Amino acid sequence: VSLIEPLTADLLATHPELADLPTPALVLHGPRVRHNIQQLADYAANVGIGIRPHTKTHKSREIARLQLDAGAIGITVAKISEAETISDPGEDVLLAYPPIGVRRAERLAHLAHDRTMRAAVDSLTAIEQVSAAARAAGSTIGLLVDFDIGLGRTGVQSAQETLELARAIDCAANVRLDGMMIYPGQVGSLPTEQADELKVIDSLVAEALDLWAKHGLAVTIISGGSTPTAYQSHFITHQTEIRPGTYLFNDMNYVRGGYCTLDDCAARVLATVISTARTGHIVLDAGSKTLAADRPSSPPDVGYGHIVEYPEAHIIRLNEEHGQADIRDCPRVPKVGDRVTVIPNHICPCVNLRDSIWWWDPGDSLRKIPVDARGRIE
Amino acid sequence: VSLIEPLTADLLATHPELADLPTPALVLHGPRVRHNIQQLADYAANVGIGIRPHTKTHKSREIARLQLDAGAIGITVAKISEAETISDPGEDVLLAYPPIGVRRAERLAHLAHDRTMRAAVDSLTAIEQVSAAARAAGSTIGLLVDFDIGLGRTGVQSAQETLELARAIDCAANVRLDGMMIYPGQVGSLPTEQADELKVIDSLVAEALDLWAKHGLAVTIISGGSTPTAYQSHFITHQTEIRPGTYLFNDMNYVRGGYCTLDDCAARVLATVISTARTGHIVLDAGSKTLAADRPSSPPDVGYGHIVEYPEAHIIRLNEEHGQADIRDCPRVPKVGDRVTVIPNHICPCVNLRDSIWWWDPGDSLRKIPVDARGRIE
């Protein structure tokens, strides 16, 4: 079985261990996952940038270890409960999320006793809460100033505001000014556009860092995004690390965005056709509780995921346990009981819907690995 | 605290046990849940129809028991793994879903050893698989013919086709022809429209049953939907039972559809404001991994859920852990660290995202109850 051979019905037929899996099942093509991890590791080593993978995509300790073994400098999480579940003592963990709330700050400070904990902040409140919690716990937390460079989600809005937070961190007890966090989630998809946009972002970062330097503030970490921009990371010259999440699995949003091909998609949902009663339509046993209800992240709205064996089909409607596909454009039609594989629009919430996923090394083994941090939202 | 008092920030302030809950948390207003269950039970008793609640909404053994204690005649599930988790020996369970796949049929037949198991079918394949599994297990399974009366999802398309399946069931071993299943998921929201549409559906059912009777097939169960049509169930005179799911919690889809009021919404997500860095916007710690990514089920697309304390706000974007709200129309603005309560668009997938939910009897107790069948998709 070739490294890039897709997980098709034909392939399934030759692997009885898959043909017998209860559906719907999420199957990882092991060689493809390893390839995706290594390919980005090679690029990052080549351009001299660290990878701090966002573990939200897989929520798995085992897969995080694969990324660390491939040279990742640490891991990223969004919620403190993910850090508690995914990370080990001695590791370097970035909470790329405002640690707001007394309980959240306390748990962050507690973890900092035996591992390097960092968090991104965009308010004085966050700095105060983290500092107070770290003082009470007797630990130290590294902070990054969250700078909004265009997405408009979290992050302060100007270089001047980054300076104010950087100075506040510098003055607060039991926290350490580690650097700046950006997330270029708004950047377009064409490589040439990306390069131009990333250069603009780089100059915004430079402006802020110059201001910091004028006030005697030197930092070591500039943490950036993202799977779509991963292979263009060298255009943000100040970046020291990137936080891609989806790159090791990929999904239809990234195929349609032009960031990867179908063959790059390592995570696929094995589903069964449960109804063909209505002509021109089929119903799969994979609905929004299996695939997640995410529509395509960019137009056109072609429905929910891609059926590998029936590429002309459109999954036009998801109910909780029903995936309804229009197959009128398909030259052949499946029958009740047939199995198909679906690449979801957005793989991260799809993984988060289940307790375990199947790691498949074709011709070798199929084994269940736990989604350790599934549902860890606090 | 009044039965219908909404779960507001003011109410939270007087209840320290809630104010200290880690967020995001899903809180059930216990008295309101009980009220919603009892209100429909009273209606159903009044019009002489059974309630077989769809447990997909709560996936909780404890809450299923509440419904049974209020007179439910049995429960509904979509997946066999839900039945395995939610139901007890001696109960009456309808799998309102095609039991396609050898493993699924085997598990169904196994459960039928110590409880009444029924399933809906819309293909000869389903009948053959269930019959074979039940023969092998030495059990008997009741089957309902799934008749599509307009939604266009599962179900055969004509009275004649229902007859063919009913006769096939009648001839197959170890299965029993129990009746017919319909799901009026396409019915409009105005009560007068509903009455007219439900009467048309009733005549479709009557036509099929007449055909069955002419072939000597008599049945006892005509199982229908749904929360939106629940209080109009008497217009389908042939119906013996209904399968509403959401009615005990309600959500914004049902508020906007005109089926209930905000006060009827018993399940709310307690969330924290984690960023106000961008003027006119706030970010909550509740994203698509908390609220689910379901957009409104009918136009206009007003975003993801409703913030009770800031009714003019619009949750315009959900990332996995970020809920971004536009608050430019709000007369007052929250600050970082404030807590708000969100009523989701669609409560069923929201419940399914977590291992436990909080049952709150204001002034009395707050306790965690497990979402037993969370993630049971097989």
Side-chain angles (χ1 to χ4, degrees), chain A residues 20 23-24 56 79 97 103-104 122 152-153 275 278 285 289 319-321 324 346 355 374 377, chain B residues 20 23-24 56 79 97 103-104 122 152-153 275 278 285 289 319-321 324 355 374 377:
Chain A
D20 204 40
T23 64
K56 67 174 180 122
K79 296 294 181 80
Y97 200 81
R103 293 283 167 271
R104 205 166 259 154
D122 71 357
R153 191 172 67 181
S275 174
R278 184 176 166 207
D285 62 354
K289 283 177 175 168
N319 293 121
E320 287 157 61
E321 303 289 4
Q324 187 177 330
H346 190 184
D355 291 326
R374 186 211 53 72
I377 53 178
Chain B
D20 204 39
T23 64
K56 66 171 180 127
K79 298 293 182 82
Y97 199 81
R103 293 284 168 272
R104 205 166 260 154
D122 70 358
R153 189 173 67 181
S275 174
R278 183 177 168 206
D285 61 354
K289 283 177 177 169
N319 294 120
E320 287 157 59
E321 303 289 3
Q324 188 178 328
D355 291 325
R374 185 210 53 71
I377 53 178

Side-chain angles (χ1 to χ4, degrees), chain A residues 7-16 18-19 270 309 339-341 360:
Chain A
L7 183 61
T8 63
D10 289 348
L11 204 59
L12 292 179
T14 66
H15 289 273
L18 281 186
L270 187 63
E309 297 80 5
R339 290 178 161 214
V340 298
T341 46
W360 184 44

Side-chain angles (χ1 to χ4, degrees), chain A residues 162-183:
Chain A
T162 68
L163 174 66
E164 285 159 22
L165 291 190
R167 294 177 78 173
I169 294 167
D170 197 47
C171 297
N174 293 73
V175 295
R176 183 183 64 240
L177 178 64
D178 278 351
M180 186 183 295
M181 183 177 91
I182 60 172
Y183 177 59

Side-chain angles (χ1 to χ4, degrees), chain A residues 164-324:
Chain A
E164 285 159 22
L165 291 190
R167 294 177 78 173
I169 294 167
D170 197 47
C171 297
N174 293 73
V175 295
R176 183 183 64 240
L177 178 64
D178 278 351
M180 186 183 295
M181 183 177 91
I182 60 172
Y183 177 59
Q186 81 287 2
V187 168
S189 68
L190 289 176
T192 50
E193 287 174 0
Q194 283 198 339
D196 289 344
E197 292 183 57
L198 295 176
K199 286 174 195 167
V200 171
I201 290 169
D202 199 35
S203 64
L204 290 172
V205 172
E207 180 196 350
L209 291 178
D210 284 349
L211 202 55
W212 292 18
K214 280 184 192 136
H215 290 81
L217 300 170
V219 295
T220 54
I221 297 177
I222 308 296
S223 181
S226 78
T227 293
T229 58
Y231 287 95
Q232 312 272 11
S233 297
H234 51 284
F235 288 110
I236 304 186
T237 58
H238 292 82
Q239 233 166 200
T240 62
E241 62 176 48
I242 55 174
R243 307 184 309 281
T246 311
Y247 75 103
L248 80 171
F249 293 163
N250 293 308
D251 58 25
M252 285 312 295
N253 280 340
Y254 288 145
V255 171
R256 295 189 192 114
Y259 308 117
C260 66
T261 68
L262 286 177
D263 283 350
D264 295 324
C265 294
R268 295 163 185 225
V269 172
L270 187 63
T272 298
V273 176
I274 55 163
S275 174
T276 60
R278 184 176 166 207
T279 305
H281 288 77
I282 59 170
V283 181
L284 304 179
D285 62 354
S288 66
K289 283 177 175 168
T290 293
L291 298 171
D294 297 54
R295 295 189 192 167
S297 57
S298 56
D301 188 346
V302 290
Y304 303 91
H306 173 79
I307 305 179
V308 175
E309 297 80 5
Y310 297 89
E312 300 87 358
H314 294 284
I315 303 179
I316 53 173
R317 183 189 216 165
L318 287 190
N319 293 121
E320 287 157 61
E321 303 289 4
H322 299 80
Q324 187 177 330

Side-chain angles (χ1 to χ4, degrees), chain B residues 325-371:
Chain B
D326 182 334
I327 57 163
R328 287 175 295 179
D329 292 338
C330 298
R332 64 196 175 90
V333 298
K335 59 184 196 307
V336 168
D338 283 358
R339 291 178 160 214
V340 298
T341 45
V342 180
I343 304 176
N345 284 344
H346 190 184
I347 192 62
C348 310
C350 175
V351 170
N352 182 55
L353 286 164
R354 66 211 71 228
D355 291 325
S356 58
I357 51 188
W358 296 95
W359 180 281
W360 184 44
D361 280 311
D364 183 9
S365 67
L366 177 75
R367 66 200 170 76
K368 208 180 246 195
I369 61 175
V371 183

